[in-house]
Amino acid sequence: MINLADLMWKNTVAQRQKGRQQDLEMGRFGALLFSPPRASDLLLDTARQASGLRAGLRRPHVGLRLQERPGPETRGFALLQGGGGSSVGPRRAPALRGWVFRRATVMPVLWRVFPLLQTEENQGVDADKVLGLPDIASFLNVVDEVLPSVTEPLPYLWCLSWKGIVCIFFLPFIFSGFTLKKSKEHLISGEVKPQLTQNRFNWSHLTPFELKNRSVGLQAESRAESTPYFTLGGHKFRIFGGSIHYFRVPREYWRDRLLKLKACGFNTVTTYVPWNLHEPQRGAFDFSENLDLEAFVLMAAEIGLWVILRPGPYICSEIDLGGLPSWLLQDSNVRLRTTDQGFVEAVDKYFDHLIARVVPLQYRQGGPIIAVQVENEYGSFDKDKYYMPYIQQALLKRGIVELLLTSDAKTEVLKGYIKGVLAAINIEKFQNDAFEPLYNIQKNKPILVMEYWVGWFDKWGDEHNVKDAQDVENTVSEFIKFEISFNVYMFHGGTNFGFINGATNFGKHKSIATSYDYDAVLTEAGDYTEKYFKLRKLFGSVLALPLPHLPELTPKAVYPSMRPSFHLPLWDVLQYLNEPVISDKPINMENLPINSGNGQSYGFILYETVICSGGELHADVQDTAQVFLNDTSIGILDDADQYLNIPKVRGCQRLRILVENQGRVNFSWKIQDQRKGLTGSVTINNTPLEGYTIYSLEMKMSFFERLRSATWRPFRSSYLGPAFYICTLRAGSSPKDTFLRLLDWNNGFVFINGRNLGRYWYIGPQETLYLPGTWLHPGDNEIILFEKRKSGSYIQTSIKPSFKIVL
């Protein structure tokens, strides 16, 4: 056991003999003077070597609680502990055992240099008051002024003078302050590697149903004695968030995914809000069924989760056009994501409707929404310096009162930052220098990692992305050590059902895969992963209360293989489509005069015209097109290859161009030019073709209802050309989740009972399509495939997804 008195004296004498000044670790306190020795000298000289005092204290940095002791002349001290605000009195603090200080001696020191702190333990009228870490210079001066000098070595701890006693008493608090005041600088420099906290977080009173006083929401706080931190309702709080997109998960499974988020140890769910799905046509809003945002948010509150909302208007999210509605592209002069009048007018009308739904769900209104993000990753776009402040004000004036934040990659933080709004960062892994941009603009605010990418999305034709579970655990552990709030992106990725997937274009257009598995903490089907169990164990080691029991797995099933019974060539289907558009020139999807003037958002579009000679065909195609003479395929066009040789024709023939929208780019300035279909004139030998019949193939539910009256042909294996195929899935009395395998099919879409499961494509990496059991009926279920090129033979099922190796 260290004899502190001897240690202090030896330190002082040794330094005097060397004739040098002691350089303090933090620099700002200057050098110490050692002749004659002062109590303050002894305190600071001993600080680094006496850190053992802190070993028995779980939270030595939070201050001193004053507790009345019996008798009019005395008052005792206790050290704060733990998340629940319990204390360690003199009997439980080994180095301080038995000491009760007379008020007349000690109080002058305390009241002159120790501020009263507001911490999570002393909020409220009846709470104990807590003394904070003093200003060091003031503390040293007052100690030496009030207490006598030490001139003799003190051989035993219980014989210390009052000066020595006070020094030893305050040593753990001063020492802890040295580290905490510099923790953010250490994070940037990488000089210090803190240990995982030994105190456990107790947020049981900080849940949507337990926290009744909603006058003070989520706030960023900064105190001289500690790292900046968040408070919620005035209580210290840290965000352990995970992303789930309600629009990518069947509504019937929302509760399951949210319960699994809670059971893992998270306290917050984050979600985007897709404008393109909620306002598919101008002024026509859809917040029903799987798009019921309010129901999702209220369900999160019921389960005990807070919500951070990311309403856009742009969200990226690997969704078509980054969540912007395609009808914005009708006017080629409108500049997206700027204060261009045409764009902000549309935003204002959308926000008028959306934010009116969000306001009652805010924290101060009794709801679970504790923060709202302003736009998304604007630093990477950065086309209009007035745009972000405009969106900020658009939220505020419609009643958003909770904490606002921005979210950008580390290299773009300064470009996307708004003064007065918390800047958050998106990162792939823990790196000290990643936080430097945040430190430069908001030193006194806590760090929030809005997106920690635990995996990545897949693109058709690329490798399947995976990320090591141990790396994820290590990174999250670092966040906790450095007191960083974070959001795991994605906790559960879900599925790009239908045509909602986005695309990338960094030299070549690449479509985002149907599966948004993301190698997330939960799989696409909501199953547990190694990452889940590692994070649950980690969170369990730092949370005060036991985690909830794990929800049961969603059952899976393998169903009998299915062989199509009938097929219907595309050319036979045209009569069941809506009335075609007749035009002299090609019209792109967005400008088709359909859907009450809002154009076509997704799917396919077929152009028919007549040619009477062959030659070199040129067409501006977005994204890919099959070209036919009558019913015969003669070639493929896409945005990279826009020329095709047309063979000589006898007489006049029907030229057909079937164009697929494979997803609009969701990131970068290229969102401005994402019109689909034929986007310019079509020529043969530089002569423009005229006179088009244009069919829209949006493949909505109503279309498949009309197909039931069609005359289907018996199934023919290896049929060439675009066609629909129908078969039956027999789910029995209790339908369960499964995965469809279409290994010998080429490229197309699958519809189950009229619902679009998404795209399949032989190029991989995705080889299966997730089929939620909740979308199946007991008994027989109708499956329709739209295959673009060549039919396969069978459709199989599996209880697990599969991914192919892409060479």
Side-chain angles (χ1 to χ4, degrees):
M1 180 175 178
I2 298 176
N3 187 320
L4 292 179
D6 287 345
L7 178 58
M8 289 195 299
W9 182 257
K10 289 176 183 178
N11 283 347
T12 304
V13 172
Q15 293 185 32
R16 292 180 65 188
Q17 289 174 344
K18 292 179 181 179
R20 63 180 181 84
Q21 295 178 333
Q22 174 69 26
D23 181 21
L24 292 178
E25 289 185 358
M26 305 323 299
R28 64 173 279 221
F29 306 117
L32 297 176
L33 302 176
F34 301 98
S35 181
R38 305 183 302 171
S40 55
D41 299 340
L42 303 184
L43 174 67
L44 294 174
D45 290 341
T46 313
R48 279 179 288 183
Q49 297 186 45
S51 59
L53 274 176
R54 305 175 64 221
L57 304 179
R58 289 168 60 184
R59 293 183 64 187
H61 61 279
V62 295
L64 299 173
R65 178 181 293 155
L66 303 186
Q67 294 179 332
E68 293 290 346
R69 304 287 294 179
E73 295 296 324
T74 61
R75 176 173 292 188
F77 302 94
L79 301 181
L80 288 178
Q81 269 219 105
S86 60
S87 64
V88 176
R91 288 181 299 171
R92 291 181 61 192
L96 310 175
R97 184 176 294 121
W99 292 109
V100 178
F101 299 95
R102 290 188 177 278
R103 182 181 300 173
T105 305
V106 180
M107 287 302 105
V109 179
L110 296 178
W111 297 127
R112 289 175 59 178
V113 299
F114 280 77
L116 265 177
L117 293 185
Q118 292 293 307
T119 73
E120 59 180 318
E121 289 88 359
N122 76 333
Q123 296 294 326
V125 176
D126 298 325
D128 292 324
K129 299 306 176 186
V130 177
L131 293 178
L133 188 69
D135 176 79
I136 298 302
S138 300
F139 176 73
L140 302 184
N141 292 335
V142 173
V143 168
D144 289 319
E145 174 186 334
V146 175
L147 302 179
S149 300
V150 175
T151 57
E152 299 292 338
L154 303 175
Y156 300 105
L157 183 61
W158 55 84
C159 295
L160 283 175
S161 69
W162 284 111
K163 181 183 293 187
I165 292 170
V166 172
C167 291
I168 294 173
F169 187 86
F170 292 129
L171 181 59
F173 305 99
I174 304 300
F175 182 79
S176 65
F178 288 162
T179 300
L180 291 170
K181 287 185 178 182
K182 296 295 287 184
S183 63
K184 204 165 183 182
E185 290 90 332
H186 289 152
L187 171 62
I188 305 302
S189 65
E191 295 172 0
V192 172
K193 294 293 184 182
Q195 299 299 309
L196 198 62
T197 180
Q198 294 183 1
N199 63 294
R200 290 175 176 259
F201 305 115
N202 186 355
W203 296 315
S204 59
H205 58 300
L206 299 180
T207 64
F209 281 101
E210 293 294 331
L211 197 55
K212 303 301 182 183
N213 184 352
R214 298 298 188 93
S215 60
V216 181
L218 185 68
Q219 293 185 330
E221 301 284 350
S222 177
R223 303 293 188 202
E225 79 286 352
S226 69
T227 301
Y229 54 90
F230 288 109
T231 60
L232 186 61
H235 302 271
K236 206 168 184 180
F237 182 70
R238 213 180 292 181
I239 297 166
F240 286 10
S243 287
I244 302 175
H245 299 155
Y246 59 97
F247 52 91
R248 281 186 164 118
V249 182
R251 178 172 181 154
E252 296 84 352
Y253 290 157
W254 286 352
R255 182 175 297 276
D256 173 78
R257 307 316 192 241
L258 291 170
L259 286 171
K260 287 172 179 174
L261 181 73
K262 181 74 173 177
C264 192
F266 292 88
N267 57 30
T268 303
V269 61
T270 70
T271 189
Y272 283 124
V273 181
W275 183 6
N276 55 353
L277 302 185
H278 285 300
E279 193 181 3
Q281 298 180 20
R282 287 184 184 85
F285 297 97
D286 185 0
F287 285 83
S288 64
E289 299 181 353
N290 229 76
L291 296 175
D292 194 340
L293 170 64
E294 293 144 294
F296 179 80
V297 170
L298 290 172
M299 186 180 292
E302 177 189 342
I303 289 169
L305 294 164
W306 299 108
V307 176
I308 296 178
L309 199 68
R310 312 175 79 183
Y314 165 85
I315 63 172
C316 185
S317 187
E318 289 71 61
I319 193 173
D320 188 89
L321 204 61
L324 301 178
S326 62
W327 46 258
L328 288 169
L329 297 171
Q330 289 183 324
D331 184 351
S332 59
N333 294 318
V334 170
R335 294 179 299 134
L336 306 181
R337 301 181 73 189
T338 70
T339 52
D340 181 276
Q341 183 176 357
F343 183 71
V344 295
E345 283 181 354
V347 171
D348 286 339
K349 291 176 182 178
Y350 169 57
F351 272 10
D352 285 344
H353 189 94
L354 171 65
I355 304 305
R357 294 174 177 270
V358 171
V359 166
L361 302 174
Q362 293 182 100
Y363 172 90
R364 295 184 209 190
Q365 297 278 348
I369 296 176
I370 58 174
V372 176
Q373 183 174 303
V374 183
E375 237 260 357
N376 188 60
E377 298 177 321
Y378 195 72
S380 64
F381 196 78
D382 192 30
K383 296 292 185 182
D384 184 343
K385 66 180 180 180
Y386 302 108
Y387 173 68
M388 287 293 281
Y390 184 94
I391 299 300
Q392 176 195 8
Q393 292 303 313
L395 294 169
L396 293 175
K397 72 181 184 181
R398 287 171 174 82
I400 296 297
V401 296
E402 305 306 334
L403 180 77
L404 294 180
L405 59 94
T406 59
S407 175
D408 289 282
K410 64 179 183 179
T411 56
E412 313 293 349
V413 167
L414 295 179
K415 296 177 183 178
Y417 167 69
I418 311 171
K419 187 176 182 180
V421 173
L422 180 74
I425 194 170
N426 303 338
I427 59 176
E428 179 184 5
K429 58 184 178 181
F430 186 92
Q431 292 177 307
N432 296 86
D433 61 356
F435 304 100
E436 188 170 357
L438 288 178
Y439 184 77
N440 290 337
I441 60 175
Q442 51 185 36
K443 287 185 180 180
N444 297 321
K445 291 186 179 180
I447 293 175
L448 171 60
V449 176
M450 194 57 204
E451 291 186 12
Y452 164 50
W453 302 315
V454 298
W456 202 244
F457 57 88
D458 286 343
K459 293 171 286 187
W460 289 110
D462 283 1
E463 287 287 347
H464 175 55
N465 286 292
V466 294
K467 192 169 190 175
D468 183 70
Q470 189 61 55
D471 289 345
V472 171
E473 179 190 7
N474 292 343
T475 296
V476 174
S477 179
E478 292 294 293
F479 292 156
I480 297 173
K481 291 175 186 177
F482 279 102
E483 303 181 41
I484 294 172
S485 288
F486 60 89
N487 174 61
V488 166
Y489 191 98
M490 297 288 301
F491 173 77
H492 172 54
T495 308
N496 287 318
F497 293 118
F499 297 115
I500 70 171
N501 66 273
T504 65
N505 192 332
F506 299 101
K508 182 180 181 181
H509 184 280
K510 288 197 172 185
S511 178
I512 306 298
T514 301
S515 171
Y516 201 66
D517 178 85
Y518 213 88
D519 196 32
V521 181
L522 289 183
T523 68
E524 179 183 10
D527 295 330
Y528 300 117
T529 66
E530 184 182 1
K531 291 176 185 175
Y532 185 96
F533 292 117
K534 284 184 176 292
L535 290 181
R536 178 176 158 88
K537 182 178 180 181
L538 173 63
F539 294 154
S541 72
V542 298
L543 295 176
L545 298 181
L547 294 173
H549 293 297
L550 289 176
E552 294 184 2
L553 290 173
T554 306
K556 309 291 189 299
V558 174
Y559 296 107
S561 296
M562 295 158 279
R563 180 178 174 86
S565 49
F566 299 97
H567 81 287
L568 200 60
L570 175 61
W571 324 121
D572 293 355
V573 170
L574 299 183
Q575 59 183 309
Y576 300 99
L577 298 174
N578 291 330
E579 194 71 22
V581 173
I582 307 300
S583 173
D584 288 337
K585 297 180 180 180
I587 304 174
N588 57 283
M589 276 188 177
E590 296 76 10
N591 290 99
L592 276 184
I594 62 174
N595 295 323
S596 302
N598 290 278
Q600 177 180 345
S601 295
Y602 313 109
F604 295 77
I605 185 169
L606 175 66
Y607 300 86
E608 288 187 349
T609 189
V610 175
I611 61 173
C612 299
S613 64
E616 186 179 57
L617 174 73
H618 173 263
D620 293 317
V621 171
Q622 300 294 332
D623 296 302
T624 183
Q626 296 168 264
V627 182
F628 303 87
L629 274 181
N630 297 318
D631 300 348
T632 303
S633 175
I634 59 172
I636 303 293
L637 297 173
D638 57 34
D639 58 345
D641 189 359
Q642 299 184 342
Y643 291 89
L644 179 67
N645 185 55
I646 303 293
K648 291 181 180 180
V649 296
R650 294 183 179 180
C652 294
Q653 305 286 330
R654 181 179 294 164
L655 178 70
R656 287 169 162 162
I657 303 177
L658 177 65
V659 184
E660 180 187 3
N661 170 4
Q662 293 185 331
R664 295 180 180 87
V665 166
N666 54 263
F667 183 80
S668 84
W669 58 268
K670 292 184 179 179
I671 62 171
Q672 191 69 46
D673 302 311
Q674 289 301 300
R675 294 165 189 84
K676 300 299 182 179
L678 294 178
T679 57
S681 62
V682 178
T683 64
I684 290 182
N685 297 332
N686 296 322
T687 300
L689 301 181
E690 297 181 349
Y692 291 88
T693 301
I694 305 173
Y695 296 90
S696 171
L697 287 89
E698 298 177 288
M699 301 189 188
K700 296 179 179 179
M701 188 82 74
S702 58
F703 163 70
F704 290 103
E705 292 174 357
R706 292 195 297 273
L707 274 191
R708 291 193 177 96
S709 62
T711 302
W712 291 73
R713 304 182 186 185
F715 173 65
R716 203 175 85 202
S717 183
S718 300
Y719 174 82
L720 296 177
F724 292 86
Y725 299 84
I726 190 169
C727 59
T728 300
L729 185 152
R730 294 178 172 84
S733 60
S734 180
K736 298 177 178 62
D737 286 6
T738 193
F739 290 88
L740 300 183
R741 296 173 59 90
L742 301 104
L743 296 183
D744 61 345
W745 295 78
N746 192 284
N747 185 10
F749 288 81
V750 177
F751 302 83
I752 179 75
N753 298 323
R755 292 179 182 263
N756 190 341
L757 291 186
R759 178 184 287 106
Y760 66 88
W761 199 349
Y762 78 94
I763 64 174
Q766 179 179 347
E767 291 184 318
T768 51
L769 283 177
Y770 172 54
L771 171 53
T774 188
W775 287 3
L776 293 173
H777 308 313
D780 291 351
N781 293 265
E782 177 189 77
I783 291 183
I784 293 180
L785 275 67
F786 176 64
E787 166 62 49
K788 290 172 56 179
R789 297 181 183 177
K790 181 182 178 182
S791 70
S793 301
Y794 289 92
I795 302 171
Q796 299 173 318
T797 60
S798 171
I799 61 173
K800 292 182 179 180
S802 63
F803 300 91
K804 70 183 295 184
I805 298 175
V806 179
L807 301 178

